[in-house]
Amino acid sequence: MESARKVINLFLKTKFNPNDLKSELYKAGEAAKEEGWTFMDASFQLGGKARDEGLSPDEVEQVLRRAFSSEKRSSEREEVRQEAPAAPAPVGQAPVVEAMPKPTIISPLPTGMISMEQMLALGLDTQSMELLQNFKIDPEALSIPWPAADWRKDLAKLLEVAFEKDETIEFKISDTPTATTELVSNIVDRDDTIKKIMKSLDCQDGALICVNAAKGGPDATDESWRYRYAVIDNPKMSLAKQLAYYKALNLPCAALVNTGANSVQAWVKIGAADREEYDERIDFLFKTLDSQGFKIDSANKSPSFMARMPGVLRGGKQQYLIATEQGAKNFKEWKEWVEYSLDGKPLIELASDSEEPPKKDASIIENMLRAGEFFLFQAPPKSGKSLALMDMALSICYGEEWFGNATTSNDVLFINFELTKSVFLNRLHLLGNKRGLNASTPKFGFLNLRGTALSPLETAQLIAKRIEGAKKLENHDYRVVVIDPISAVLHNPKSMRLTGSPHQILMQMVDTIIALTGCAVVTACNNDEYPYLQSRADSVISLSPVEGGLNLFQINGTFREFPKMLARECSWIYPRFFV
């Protein structure tokens, strides 16, 4: 069998007829995957050749996605499972019962096993998520678009937007010491030969273009053409996170350019009349971005900075134009927006934005809990809180009552910080047997994090990744996250180094999970252990011992969105509470 490398080289060197092109692209895609290429690498190099030979961008993406798709793990879940009655057994023999599938066990995975799409979707920290929420930016808008079919013309598109035709630009191949100058009109007007010109600039290190004109037009009355733009980026951030900042901060961008590496460069409109004004505006831009957590290399401050030129290949990867004319119209308008809006406070919303009240989130526990809410269960130490949370999770999986309240059937993800895996599963099966419910249900997933050294924020992001991965790869849609016990998140070296109130740190973790997943978050603590969590929770159930009663408790419930629960008694009979 031919080596993967040979298959790729053969595809890149050979011209195929239209009937064979798709099948050959598929073979080359499989070989690229075997060689360890990313999907984007294959799309740039193999897909670029296929597009040049006549395949449409949609056809290329479809073929390569088939080549790169690995067989999904077989789903254990069925939307509605109807158990067939057991076949009658011969006299004297027990009926044969078909084994139910075991619960889904979600184990921590190495980063490399998360798909590119998931990493883009979830590579946002709390700060950038808050920016998106505060300024109503749809996270879907952060996906990096593929190059246009005529991406070789992207330089001409950039020049039309950013320069005048009678101005002169300066550009060079990255590893060359001297730059070439060219009149803008000489490039923009060569529509028929631009593809050939750009191909001649392809190289391992790519090509660069000065962000400001090297020479103004003959009618220029001042030197403002020298101080029109600045280019910013942060290669240490994910592509999606960089886009999140550009969009949420309303930056006045003439263009956004994919550098062919791990960065998106934004051409920010400075529009200064002279060097003094340029430096003032650059300082304001950099200080504003820095205050929001977006760090930029000071070298980017120069008006002669050389940015990535779109329309060429950089080590086989495309430098291409993502978009033009984004955000505020100009620097002055943006500065006013910053002064009035970027103060960390919520933006004013209008009641007229919604003609009708929005539909409330789905109820998970009747009169207790909806999706996207925080539920806190409080009880005395060693009174059975962990088992109560397991009992709740099983109830939700099967749509059974819990503490006398109806539930709707949903997938539940249980985050176990306390027990060994064997003890955890034994407890789960004990509860199932007591209730006549099969504990081996695929709707109950769990993530063992005992002994894992993660900060609360990292814990929230890991949970969100696993939920997103399970939804895309395993057909599981988790709507409830149970954390047991929440205090364990603070008991590792990473958390101990954090400054600030433990109560607020835990609440930030809960809010982040809800923001990233839309799930309800449920946890338990001792009575009065975390008053701040109690005040912030949407639903609180409290159990207090009844004086003189053995294993007898009074249950009280207060809810943000539901009527207060009338006090009633419940008893503890291992391993469950009974109302």
Side-chain angles (χ1 to χ4, degrees), residues 204-225:
Q204 185 61 36
D205 295 319
L208 305 172
I209 178 174
C210 185
V211 299
N212 288 294
K215 184 179 178 182
D219 298 329
T221 57
D222 57 28
E223 292 194 338
S224 59
W225 43 269

Side-chain angles (χ1 to χ4, degrees), residues 236-293:
K236 294 181 180 179
M237 289 183 176
S238 69
L239 298 177
K241 187 174 176 182
Q242 289 176 71
L243 274 185
Y245 271 94
Y246 300 156
K247 290 176 182 287
L249 297 182
N250 196 31
L251 286 175
C253 298
L256 297 173
V257 176
N258 191 318
T259 66
N262 298 317
S263 183
V264 175
Q265 288 187 334
W267 286 53
V268 180
K269 300 173 185 175
I270 302 299
D274 52 37
R275 183 61 189 257
E276 183 179 356
E277 186 178 35
Y278 182 85
D279 289 341
E280 285 178 8
R281 293 188 172 189
I282 289 291
D283 286 342
F284 181 84
L285 170 67
F286 276 50
K287 285 178 182 177
T288 301
L289 291 170
D290 187 71
S291 71
Q292 301 300 317

Side-chain angles (χ1 to χ4, degrees), residues 432-452:
N433 292 337
K434 289 287 185 181
R435 299 191 58 181
L437 300 175
N438 195 321
S440 296
T441 169
K443 296 178 78 67
F444 188 115
F446 63 96
L447 182 59
N448 282 309
L449 295 182
R450 179 181 178 178
T452 305

Side-chain angles (χ1 to χ4, degrees), residues 18 31 37 68 94-95 109 117 121 141 176 179 214-215 219 245 251 253 268 322 358 364 431 468 485 528 544 547 571:
W37 289 24
F68 266 69
L109 298 174
E117 288 84 0
T176 55
K215 184 179 178 182
D219 298 329
Y245 271 94
L251 286 175
C253 298
V268 180
I322 292 175
I364 293 171
L431 274 168
E468 184 71 13
D528 301 322
S544 52
E547 189 174 350
S571 55

Side-chain angles (χ1 to χ4, degrees), residues 136-329:
K136 303 178 185 178
I137 305 297
D138 185 353
E140 291 294 324
L142 305 184
S143 58
I144 307 296
W146 297 110
D150 62 346
W151 71 276
R152 287 291 189 181
K153 298 180 180 179
D154 280 356
L155 175 61
K157 296 175 188 176
L158 174 64
L159 297 183
E160 283 189 296
V161 169
F163 299 93
E164 299 295 334
K165 279 193 171 186
D166 59 359
E167 292 175 344
T168 301
I169 60 159
E170 197 171 53
F171 63 94
K172 67 172 188 170
I173 292 175
S174 292
D175 59 354
T176 55
T178 56
T180 300
T181 58
E182 188 65 68
L183 198 63
V184 169
S185 59
N186 289 345
I187 298 174
V188 172
D189 294 340
R190 289 188 186 180
D191 186 66
D192 53 338
T193 59
I194 190 70
K195 184 175 178 181
K196 190 174 181 180
I197 295 171
M198 300 313 293
K199 276 189 175 182
S200 69
L201 297 173
D202 292 347
C203 65
Q204 185 61 36
D205 295 319
L208 305 172
I209 178 174
C210 185
V211 299
N212 288 294
K215 184 179 178 182
D219 298 329
T221 57
D222 57 28
E223 292 194 338
S224 59
W225 43 269
R226 293 185 185 274
Y227 310 112
R228 199 174 288 152
Y229 305 107
V231 165
I232 62 167
D233 67 345
N234 188 330
K236 294 181 180 179
M237 289 183 176
S238 69
L239 298 177
K241 187 174 176 182
Q242 289 176 71
L243 274 185
Y245 271 94
Y246 300 156
K247 290 176 182 287
L249 297 182
N250 196 31
L251 286 175
C253 298
L256 297 173
V257 176
N258 191 318
T259 66
N262 298 317
S263 183
V264 175
Q265 288 187 334
W267 286 53
V268 180
K269 300 173 185 175
I270 302 299
D274 52 37
R275 183 61 189 257
E276 183 179 356
E277 186 178 35
Y278 182 85
D279 289 341
E280 285 178 8
R281 293 188 172 189
I282 289 291
D283 286 342
F284 181 84
L285 170 67
F286 276 50
K287 285 178 182 177
T288 301
L289 291 170
D290 187 71
S291 71
Q292 301 300 317
F294 193 96
K295 308 292 183 184
I296 311 169
D297 190 331
S298 59
N300 295 46
K301 289 185 175 184
S302 170
S304 301
F305 181 77
M306 300 293 280
R308 289 288 157 185
M309 178 194 290
V312 301
L313 288 177
R314 176 186 183 184
K317 296 182 180 181
Q318 288 149 303
Q319 296 180 175
Y320 65 93
L321 199 60
I322 292 175
T324 59
E325 297 297 342
Q326 302 279 304
K329 291 180 181 178

Side-chain angles (χ1 to χ4, degrees), residues 416-471:
N416 171 38
F417 278 106
E418 186 173 47
L419 306 174
T420 65
K421 180 178 171 181
S422 62
V423 171
F424 180 86
L425 286 173
N426 271 281
R427 284 191 175 189
L428 182 63
H429 281 266
L430 175 64
L431 274 168
N433 292 337
K434 289 287 185 181
R435 299 191 58 181
L437 300 175
N438 195 321
S440 296
T441 169
K443 296 178 78 67
F444 188 115
F446 63 96
L447 182 59
N448 282 309
L449 295 182
R450 179 181 178 178
T452 305
L454 296 172
S455 71
L457 179 58
E458 289 171 335
T459 299
Q461 291 174 329
L462 174 64
I463 291 168
K465 282 185 180 182
R466 294 298 173 264
I467 289 173
E468 184 71 13
K471 187 173 184 179

Side-chain angles (χ1 to χ4, degrees), residues 272-550:
D274 52 37
R275 183 61 189 257
E276 183 179 356
E277 186 178 35
Y278 182 85
D279 289 341
E280 285 178 8
R281 293 188 172 189
I282 289 291
D283 286 342
F284 181 84
L285 170 67
F286 276 50
K287 285 178 182 177
T288 301
L289 291 170
D290 187 71
S291 71
Q292 301 300 317
F294 193 96
K295 308 292 183 184
I296 311 169
D297 190 331
S298 59
N300 295 46
K301 289 185 175 184
S302 170
S304 301
F305 181 77
M306 300 293 280
R308 289 288 157 185
M309 178 194 290
V312 301
L313 288 177
R314 176 186 183 184
K317 296 182 180 181
Q318 288 149 303
Q319 296 180 175
Y320 65 93
L321 199 60
I322 292 175
T324 59
E325 297 297 342
Q326 302 279 304
K329 291 180 181 178
N330 53 53
F331 191 89
K332 183 180 178 181
E333 180 183 290
W334 177 70
K335 188 176 180 181
E336 289 178 354
W337 178 89
V338 169
E339 290 170 349
Y340 286 112
S341 303
L342 200 58
D343 55 5
K345 306 296 189 296
L347 293 181
I348 295 173
E349 297 190 56
L350 303 178
S352 58
D353 290 345
S354 302
E355 293 183 4
E356 297 180 358
K359 186 178 178 180
K360 290 186 177 180
D361 292 319
S363 177
I364 293 171
I365 304 177
E366 185 181 26
N367 294 324
M368 282 192 183
L369 181 65
R370 287 196 180 98
E373 293 183 344
F374 175 38
F375 184 107
L376 186 63
F377 182 82
Q378 297 184 136
K382 304 299 181 184
S383 59
K385 294 186 292 296
S386 292
L387 284 163
L389 294 184
M390 280 191 186
D391 194 32
M392 174 199 280
L394 266 181
S395 299
I396 294 172
C397 288
Y398 282 98
E400 296 282 337
E401 285 190 354
W402 184 74
F403 273 91
N405 291 67
T407 70
T408 54
S409 178
N410 281 280
D411 284 4
V412 180
L413 178 59
F414 201 106
I415 313 300
N416 171 38
F417 278 106
E418 186 173 47
L419 306 174
T420 65
K421 180 178 171 181
S422 62
V423 171
F424 180 86
L425 286 173
N426 271 281
R427 284 191 175 189
L428 182 63
H429 281 266
L430 175 64
L431 274 168
N433 292 337
K434 289 287 185 181
R435 299 191 58 181
L437 300 175
N438 195 321
S440 296
T441 169
K443 296 178 78 67
F444 188 115
F446 63 96
L447 182 59
N448 282 309
L449 295 182
R450 179 181 178 178
T452 305
L454 296 172
S455 71
L457 179 58
E458 289 171 335
T459 299
Q461 291 174 329
L462 174 64
I463 291 168
K465 282 185 180 182
R466 294 298 173 264
I467 289 173
E468 184 71 13
K471 187 173 184 179
K472 289 187 176 182
L473 304 176
E474 296 178 340
N475 199 28
H476 288 281
D477 188 11
Y478 293 105
R479 305 306 300 150
V480 182
V481 175
V482 181
I483 302 173
D484 182 46
I486 195 167
S487 58
V489 181
L490 299 172
H491 301 158
N492 68 71
K494 274 198 172 183
S495 297
M496 291 175 182
R497 288 195 294 266
L498 296 175
T499 58
S501 163
H503 302 242
Q504 293 177 330
I505 291 170
L506 291 176
M507 195 63 229
Q508 182 190 44
M509 179 185 74
V510 170
D511 285 341
T512 302
I513 294 171
I514 292 172
L516 290 175
T517 67
C519 292
V521 174
V522 177
T523 193
C525 66
N526 297 329
N527 286 335
D528 301 322
E529 182 180 11
Y530 291 116
Y532 182 73
L533 294 188
Q534 182 179 345
S535 68
R536 288 289 308 276
D538 299 287
S539 303
V540 180
I541 293 287
S542 298
L543 268 61
S544 52
V546 174
E547 189 174 350
L550 183 63

